[in-house]
Amino acid sequence: MKTTSDNRASGMNHWNFLLRMKLWQKFALLGALALALTAQPLYSLVKSAWVAIDTVRLEQSGMVPIGAALDLIKAFQDHRASASYLVLNDAARGATQPKHADAVDAALARLEPLALAAGDATAFERMKTIKLAWAELKANVAVRKIDQRRVTEDHISVIRDTLRLIEDFTAHFHIDLDPDAATYYTFRATLIELPLLSESIGQLRSPVASRLEEIARARATAEQQGKSFDLEAALRQAFRPSDRARFTDSVQDAEGAARRYDDNMRKAMRASPEIAAATQEQVTQIQHSTAQALQLVRREILGKDIPTIDAGAYIKEVSVPREAVQKAATQQSLLTDALRRRAEQTRAALNATLLGELALLLVGITIAVMTVRNITGTVASLQASVETVRQGDYAALQDVQSRDEVGDLGRTVNELLLDRVAAQRKAEEEKAAAVAENESLNNSVISILQAVHQLSQRDLTARAPVTTDVIGTVSDSINALTDETSKVLRGVNVIAGQVRDVSGKLKTQA
């Protein structure tokens, strides 16, 4: 038992600091604990919001080098067309080659520092590879050291490296990890599949047109030279099996890119009505024009041993999806706007949360202060009432207005004080009555003593005052005794007188 008591006392000692604290200090301690409990989830919420904002900012920063890479791809594609005509000795259409080469140089000059600033080693190494490949390609075209097929192959190779560079950028800037479904699928469609579709269609434009023009030249030469010209060999040279294989691969690449682009955009449109409203028509147009162009290639190029379609008519038909794709490139602005709106919405939500938490904190502090004031005010009023009652002011008790447990305690204390006051008043009345009774008893005793003193002086006429208390009974008895004594003495006097008379008679007779 002693050990249990000691342990209990030891446990109570740990909480003695609470017994020494004021009420407001205890409430302040509770408030600090509440703030500590809410601070962690609030911090997590704020941190997640800032992480989301930083992610959006990172993605926005990645749009700059990606846009520069897309511009470089377009410059490569334009240069491929003019360089193809240049090496085919088409001076009119090859005249733009220097201008397109300058455009590629400008695009590279813009992209290189962006790739370096990104800080991604893979992207920077790929950028160096692209620069070296372009320098060699540009030099070969300038001196016409390569033929048209090599021009096409080298451009396809450097454009593929640039497309991989875009994928490097999307990975480095976490664009391929975007948590928003609409933004993610739009990214995939416009930054990956759409450039690939554009390149696949580009591979079916000037390279195929060059083959068609060479076929047309071979037939024109055969008409001029007659049977001395080996038309069959010229046609086989103009349209080789390797050309057919290349164009078949380009058609398959275009079909795959178009399918993936459409699939991603459909998912993005389902996730975002805004994207659906802005891109529905463009997506449909790209799908329709691409299908028609690929059908044309399969029918007129791949479906015949030697194509017969006019190069001009072919270019006109196959350029329709390319124009639609170039117009759809403006969808990148949708991504920029979507990222900007998401950052603003996240920031607005964070601000609203912080303002809400601040408002709740102010309301909580106000309620806490009012509660503390109510409790401490009630307790202080009770303390003052008790003190004034202790000093004798019984009118100091106040009506407790609070209806909580402290108010109930206050009313109970008031009832106890009222009971104590009533008991004290009763005790004082009883004390006053006892004093009065004692005074009356003393007076009665004194009266009796005076009466007894007179009786001791043989004054049998003295009478003790008869009162209503117990002394009155004694006084009545003394008075009765005095009366009886007086009667006896009077009888004795009568008998003494008779004796005296008889004695006188006897004396006379004697």
Side-chain angles (χ1 to χ4, degrees):
M1 291 297 294
K2 183 176 180 181
T3 303
T4 304
S5 300
D6 292 342
N7 293 335
R8 187 177 302 170
S10 176
M12 290 297 294
N13 289 334
H14 291 299
W15 300 99
N16 281 342
F17 74 97
L18 291 175
L19 302 177
R20 294 191 295 269
M21 295 176 67
K22 299 291 185 180
L23 275 177
W24 70 267
Q25 293 174 329
K26 294 178 181 179
F27 276 102
L29 179 60
L30 289 175
L33 291 176
L35 287 177
L37 292 175
T38 57
Q40 179 60 33
L42 180 61
Y43 171 76
S44 299
L45 178 63
V46 172
K47 183 178 179 180
S48 62
W50 277 114
V51 168
I53 293 174
D54 291 339
T55 299
V56 172
R57 288 176 177 173
L58 181 63
E59 292 175 352
Q60 287 176 323
S61 64
M63 291 297 294
V64 178
I66 289 175
L70 292 174
D71 292 339
L72 178 60
I73 290 176
K74 185 177 182 300
F76 278 139
Q77 291 171 342
D78 292 338
H79 184 267
R80 176 174 55 196
S82 61
S84 297
Y85 292 123
L86 181 65
V87 297
L88 289 174
N89 298 317
D90 188 340
R93 288 184 289 183
T96 57
Q97 186 273 334
K99 178 182 176 181
H100 291 157
D102 292 339
V104 172
D105 289 335
L108 277 172
R110 179 188 171 209
L111 179 59
E112 186 175 11
L114 295 175
L116 179 61
D120 183 65
T122 303
F124 187 69
E125 289 299 323
R126 199 179 302 279
M127 186 70 214
K128 291 169 60 177
T129 302
I130 293 172
K131 282 188 64 178
L132 292 175
W134 163 246
E136 182 180 0
L137 174 60
K138 179 181 177 182
N140 290 335
V141 170
V143 297
R144 303 183 187 184
K145 188 178 179 180
I146 56 177
D147 60 8
Q148 187 274 332
R149 289 183 176 86
R150 179 69 183 277
V151 168
T152 300
E153 294 296 329
D154 288 350
H155 277 86
I156 290 175
S157 177
V158 74
I159 289 174
R160 283 180 176 173
D161 283 338
T162 309
L163 289 172
R164 295 189 187 98
L165 179 63
I166 292 177
E167 293 182 354
D168 294 335
F169 284 144
T170 59
H172 177 73
F173 292 100
H174 296 177
I175 294 176
D176 57 347
L177 299 176
D178 192 276
D180 182 69
T183 307
Y184 171 78
Y185 288 119
T186 305
F187 272 135
R188 294 294 306 175
T190 60
L191 300 184
I192 303 299
E193 306 303 339
L194 194 61
L196 183 58
L197 176 60
S198 175
E199 169 57 15
S200 299
I201 295 174
Q203 293 174 17
L204 295 173
R205 290 180 70 252
S206 59
V208 176
S210 298
R211 299 299 94 218
L212 294 176
E213 291 177 353
E214 190 170 347
I215 291 172
R217 284 195 298 270
R219 285 177 176 153
T221 303
E223 291 179 358
Q224 294 175 358
Q225 298 182 5
K227 295 182 179 180
S228 62
F229 182 74
D230 189 353
L231 179 60
E232 184 69 21
L235 292 178
R236 295 300 178 188
Q237 179 64 26
F239 194 74
R240 302 173 184 174
S242 59
D243 296 328
R244 183 183 298 276
R246 163 58 62 194
F247 300 150
T248 301
D249 291 341
S250 297
V251 169
Q252 293 175 351
D253 291 342
E255 287 178 338
R259 183 177 61 255
R260 292 189 297 271
Y261 169 76
D262 182 71
D263 183 58
N264 285 319
M265 285 306 300
R266 298 295 176 187
K267 292 178 180 178
M269 288 188 288
R270 284 195 297 268
S272 173
E274 293 82 2
I275 293 179
T279 62
Q280 177 71 52
E281 185 177 352
Q282 286 182 338
V283 172
T284 302
Q285 184 180 4
I286 289 174
Q287 286 299 109
H288 179 69
S289 60
T290 300
Q292 285 187 333
L294 296 181
Q295 185 179 6
L296 173 66
V297 174
R298 288 186 180 278
R299 184 181 66 249
E300 298 294 337
I301 307 300
L302 302 179
K304 297 180 179 181
D305 289 339
I306 301 297
T308 58
I309 187 172
D310 179 68
Y314 174 83
I315 285 292
K316 182 178 179 180
E317 292 293 331
V318 85
S319 295
V320 174
R322 184 172 184 267
E323 295 173 358
V325 168
Q326 288 178 344
K327 291 180 180 179
T330 58
Q331 293 173 2
Q332 296 172 21
S333 62
L334 295 177
L335 296 176
T336 304
D337 293 339
L339 291 175
R340 177 181 51 79
R341 285 196 304 270
R342 202 166 81 202
E344 292 175 352
Q345 291 171 358
T346 304
R347 193 176 294 107
L350 176 60
N351 293 335
T353 301
L354 293 178
L355 289 176
E357 290 293 333
L358 180 60
L360 290 176
L361 179 62
L362 293 177
V363 171
I365 291 175
T366 302
I367 294 176
V369 170
M370 294 176 63
T371 302
V372 171
R373 285 185 177 180
N374 175 262
I375 294 176
T376 56
T378 303
V379 173
S381 176
L382 291 176
Q383 289 177 337
S385 298
V386 171
E387 183 64 23
T388 52
V389 169
R390 188 176 67 83
Q391 294 176 0
D393 185 5
Y394 301 141
L397 294 178
Q398 300 177 1
D399 184 24
V400 179
Q401 300 296 328
S402 179
R403 297 301 172 188
D404 54 11
E405 289 79 0
V406 178
D408 295 339
L409 176 62
R411 284 184 285 276
T412 301
V413 172
N414 279 344
E415 291 176 1
L416 290 175
L417 291 176
L418 290 174
D419 292 342
R420 179 187 174 187
V421 169
Q424 187 173 356
R425 286 178 177 175
K426 182 177 180 181
E428 290 177 352
E429 291 175 356
E430 290 178 353
K431 180 179 179 181
V435 170
E437 185 177 356
N438 289 336
E439 185 69 22
S440 175
L441 184 61
N442 290 335
N443 293 335
S444 298
V445 171
I446 291 173
S447 298
I448 291 174
L449 292 176
Q450 290 176 349
V452 171
H453 177 70
Q454 290 178 355
L455 291 175
S456 66
Q457 299 297 324
R458 299 177 182 179
D459 183 6
L460 296 180
T461 61
R463 291 289 183 271
V466 179
T467 59
T468 58
D469 52 14
V470 66
I471 301 302
T473 303
V474 176
S475 298
D476 189 45
S477 298
I478 291 174
N479 290 335
L481 178 60
T482 302
D483 290 339
E484 291 299 326
T485 302
S486 297
K487 290 178 182 180
V488 172
L489 290 177
R490 282 195 296 272
V492 171
N493 286 335
V494 172
I495 293 174
Q498 291 176 353
V499 171
R500 186 179 64 249
D501 291 340
V502 173
S503 296
K505 289 179 181 182
L506 288 176
K507 182 180 180 182
T508 300
Q509 290 177 0

